[in-house]
């Protein structure tokens, strides 16, 4: 194929909307003072934000920048023109190209929790953290490799439960698009959609030899984050599925209900809890822990933020906490603090091991960045990132028994045995 006659078109004087849009985006990102977003994902106060001047010229910005320089802009201009000339499709969306640059910059950090949000993606994130959204009704986290989204728990009565999606199911494709390497928020955004529409999931399940193809109808999902019931012998059971805006009051109500029911001991179930808001888990911890540190965070500048408990509501009855490999982030904060203070016994398997903190920053155009900004440490100064928390009493989950006709949760049964011994 002869393309030589088009070479002279590769560098042109008149630039298209993509490069101009990109420049606006770069300037918005570099020049505007970053505002703490209205939504915080497992964040706390940020003690140091770099000062950004708002009256700099482009030349001054380029001189001070580490990688955004004139050579980079020239290269982007050439790439844009080459796309215009050589790419086989005509309907190129300049906005998508621009977003791809931002996503690529953050992707180069090789942190699966750092990502770029478009205006629409940020809106969906806000819907999810409020506890009400349109989707399939399942908690999703990254698998152990950090490369695939994974179902950690279907919500009771949800489309996901009705479609028999199970904890540990790897989401290999969403509507035929591979999920490998996608950040978690992008994958979740692909699963969510308009009420009544369907999403096609290609599932890898450890007990199956071939892919499972599951069609799920999206509908309004109200996500209760706390479930409570009284078990036999005065044992109370409280499950926390995630830490969001509504969790604190739901947990307080559950704990009050347990005490009103003459609770003799408590099981807190954090299995498949992917985490959530630091503010929420700290407020829950204040209802349980003795006086002292709950958790502290530390950023790359050495700035430390401490979250403490006054101990006035310290839990004084036998306590067992259920954890597993999908207990992550905020749930590990609570489990780690309970273990450090020896307030209760951890039962199950080693937790996920996510000991880093993300915060969402809004940009001037309504888009946003979610960035890992610090590490967190348990009261005894342990950072569990990449290692997890070992349970005091190990018990592997028996999936075969759980999904059998009689549906036996062997980990919960073992937790009840441990708690009963503590109550005697």
């Amino acid at each position: 194929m002869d393309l030589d006659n088009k070479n002279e078109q590769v560098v042109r004087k008149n630039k298209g909307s993509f490069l101009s849009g990109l420049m606006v985006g770069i300037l918005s990102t570099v020049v505007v003072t970053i505002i703490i977003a209205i939504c915080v994902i497992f964040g706390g106060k940020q003690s140091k934000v770099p000062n950004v001047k708002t009256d700099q010229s482009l030349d001054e910005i380029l001189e001070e920048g580490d990688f955004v320089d004139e050579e980079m802009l020239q290269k982007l201009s050439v790439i844009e023109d080459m796309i215009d000339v050589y790419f086989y499709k005509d309907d190129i969306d300049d906005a998508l190209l621009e977003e791809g640059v931002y996503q690529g910059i953050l992707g180069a950090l090789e942190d699966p929790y750092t990502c770029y949000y478009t205006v629409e993606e940020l809106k969906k994130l806000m819907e999810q953290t409020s506890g009400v959204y349109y989707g399939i009704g399942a908690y999703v986290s990254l698998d152990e490799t950090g490369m695939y989204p994974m179902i950690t728990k279907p919500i009771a009565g949800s489309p996901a439960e009705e479609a028999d999606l199970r904890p540990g199911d790897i989401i290999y494709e969403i509507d035929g698009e591979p999920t490998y390497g996608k950040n978690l928020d992008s994958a979740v955004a692909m699963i969510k959609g308009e009420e009544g529409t369907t999403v096609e999931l290609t599932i890898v399940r450890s007990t199956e030899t071939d892919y499972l193809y599951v069609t799920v109808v999206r509908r309004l999902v109200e996500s209760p984050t706390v479930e409570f019931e009284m078990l036999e012998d005065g044992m109370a059971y409280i499950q926390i599925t995630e830490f969001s805006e509504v969790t604190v009051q739901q947990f307080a109500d559950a704990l009050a209900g347990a005490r009103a029911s003459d609770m003799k001991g408590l099981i807190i179930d954090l299995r498949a809890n992917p985490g959530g808001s630091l503010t929420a888990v700290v407020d829950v911890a204040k209802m349980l822990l003795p006086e002292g540190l709950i958790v502290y965070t530390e950023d790359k500048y050495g700035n430390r933020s401490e979250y403490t408990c006054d101990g006035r509501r310290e839990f004084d009855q036998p306590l067992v906490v259920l954890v597993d490999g999908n207990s992550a982030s905020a749930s590990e904060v609570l489990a780690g603090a309970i273990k450090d203070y020896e307030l209760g016994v951890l039962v199950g398997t080693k937790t996920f091991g996510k000991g880093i903190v993300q915060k969402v920053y809004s940009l001037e155009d309504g888009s946003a960045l979610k960035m890992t900004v610090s590490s967190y440490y348990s009261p005894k100064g342990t950072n569990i990132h990449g290692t997890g928390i070992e349970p005091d009493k190990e018990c592997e989950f028996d999936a075969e028994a759980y999904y059998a006709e009689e549906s036996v949760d062997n980990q919960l049964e073992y937790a009840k045995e441990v708690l009963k011994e503590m109550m005697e």
Side-chain angles (χ1 to χ4, degrees):
M1 183 181 296
D2 184 9
L3 296 177
D4 291 344
N5 61 343
K6 292 183 183 266
N7 285 345
E8 61 183 4
Q9 301 179 45
V10 172
V11 180
R12 301 194 303 253
K13 290 184 179 180
N14 296 324
K15 302 304 170 195
S17 59
F18 162 63
L19 188 60
S20 60
L22 176 62
M23 284 305 304
V24 171
I26 291 174
L27 289 172
S28 296
T29 305
V30 177
V31 178
V32 300
T33 302
I34 297 178
I35 304 170
I36 301 293
I38 45 182
C39 174
V40 178
I41 302 298
F42 190 50
K45 289 182 180 177
Q46 183 176 2
S47 50
K48 182 171 183 177
V49 178
N51 293 322
V52 183
K53 299 176 183 178
T54 59
D55 57 351
Q56 288 177 295
S57 68
L58 176 59
D59 288 340
E60 289 173 328
I61 293 171
L62 295 179
E63 285 178 7
E64 294 182 9
D66 291 330
F67 70 93
V68 182
D69 55 20
E70 290 185 9
E71 183 178 347
M72 173 188 173
L73 295 178
Q74 289 173 358
K75 188 170 183 177
L76 283 170
S77 176
V78 171
I79 291 173
E80 180 195 11
D81 286 331
M82 292 184 73
I83 291 172
D84 287 343
V85 173
Y86 295 122
F87 190 64
Y88 78 108
K89 290 183 179 179
D90 290 326
D91 54 341
I92 306 301
D93 189 331
D94 289 343
L96 288 179
L97 292 178
E98 183 183 335
E99 290 166 8
V101 173
Y102 307 142
Q103 292 166 351
I105 290 171
L106 296 178
L109 298 176
E110 296 184 342
D111 174 18
Y113 306 105
T114 293
C115 61
Y116 170 78
Y117 292 124
T118 64
V119 176
E120 184 61 28
E121 287 169 342
L122 184 61
K123 179 183 176 183
K124 289 182 178 180
L125 177 69
M126 292 301 300
E127 290 172 354
Q128 188 174 2
T129 56
S130 70
V132 179
Y133 60 94
Y134 294 103
I136 66 171
Y139 299 107
V140 181
S141 67
L142 292 176
D143 73 338
E144 291 182 357
T145 68
M147 292 292 104
Y148 288 101
M150 178 183 69
I151 302 290
T152 56
K153 182 180 175 63
I155 296 170
S158 69
E161 184 182 62
E162 293 165 5
D164 195 30
L165 291 173
R166 302 179 181 181
D169 282 351
I170 302 295
I171 304 173
Y172 186 72
E173 292 178 336
I174 302 172
D175 286 331
E177 183 174 338
T179 60
Y180 180 82
K182 284 188 178 296
N183 67 68
L184 183 59
D185 297 302
S186 295
V188 169
M190 292 170 64
I191 294 172
K192 292 162 64 177
E194 295 294 324
E195 184 176 19
T197 61
T198 61
V199 59
E200 306 284 340
L201 303 179
T202 304
I203 298 296
V204 175
R205 183 175 293 167
S206 60
T207 57
E208 302 293 333
T209 58
D210 202 355
Y211 297 116
L212 300 176
Y213 300 95
V214 182
T215 302
V216 190
V217 179
R218 301 178 177 104
R219 65 172 184 253
L220 179 66
V221 176
E222 295 188 23
S223 173
T225 64
V226 177
E227 295 181 8
F228 158 66
E229 67 174 303
M230 289 300 298
L231 307 175
E232 65 271 19
D233 302 320
M235 292 185 286
Y237 171 83
I238 298 177
Q239 182 185 44
I240 307 175
T241 53
E242 67 174 335
F243 291 93
S244 67
E245 296 173 8
V246 298
T247 304
V248 179
Q249 189 57 52
Q250 289 179 1
F251 181 78
D253 292 343
L255 195 57
R259 286 177 171 140
S261 301
D262 196 23
M263 167 180 59
K264 301 289 192 301
L266 173 63
I267 297 172
I268 297 178
D269 191 347
L270 297 177
R271 292 176 298 173
N273 183 320
S277 164
L278 175 61
T279 301
V281 72
V282 164
D283 287 343
V284 168
K286 288 178 179 178
M287 302 181 210
L288 299 168
L289 297 182
E291 182 178 3
L293 269 176
I294 298 172
V295 65
Y296 68 90
T297 64
E298 196 168 289
D299 65 18
K300 67 179 180 181
Y301 303 104
N303 295 314
R304 174 166 162 162
S305 296
E306 296 185 351
Y307 301 84
T308 60
C309 179
D310 59 22
R312 285 185 284 185
R313 293 180 285 176
E314 180 179 354
F315 192 76
D316 59 358
Q317 291 179 293
L319 174 64
V320 169
V321 180
L322 273 167
V323 294
D324 66 7
N326 294 319
S327 304
S329 193
S331 61
E332 291 175 292
V333 168
L334 184 59
I338 288 172
K339 183 168 184 173
D340 277 6
Y341 284 112
E342 299 181 358
L343 188 68
V345 175
L346 269 58
V347 171
T349 54
K350 186 171 70 173
T351 63
F352 183 83
K354 181 176 181 286
I356 49 180
V357 181
Q358 285 72 47
K359 293 183 74 171
V360 178
Y361 298 95
S362 63
L363 301 178
E364 192 176 56
D365 63 358
S367 61
L369 308 180
K370 184 177 77 171
M371 283 193 174
T372 299
V373 295
S374 57
S375 299
Y376 78 78
Y377 299 84
S378 73
K380 288 186 177 180
T382 303
N383 176 256
I384 50 80
H385 191 65
T387 59
I389 301 171
E390 294 286 351
D392 300 302
K393 294 184 179 291
E394 187 168 358
C395 179
E396 292 286 343
F397 179 66
D398 187 344
E400 186 175 342
Y402 184 80
Y403 289 106
E405 187 174 346
E406 60 273 17
S407 186
V408 176
D409 185 342
N410 70 301
Q411 287 181 322
L412 177 58
E413 292 302 315
Y414 182 57
K416 288 159 64 175
E417 292 176 14
V418 173
L419 184 60
K420 192 171 183 178
E421 289 178 5
M422 295 170 66
M423 290 163 50
E424 292 176 349

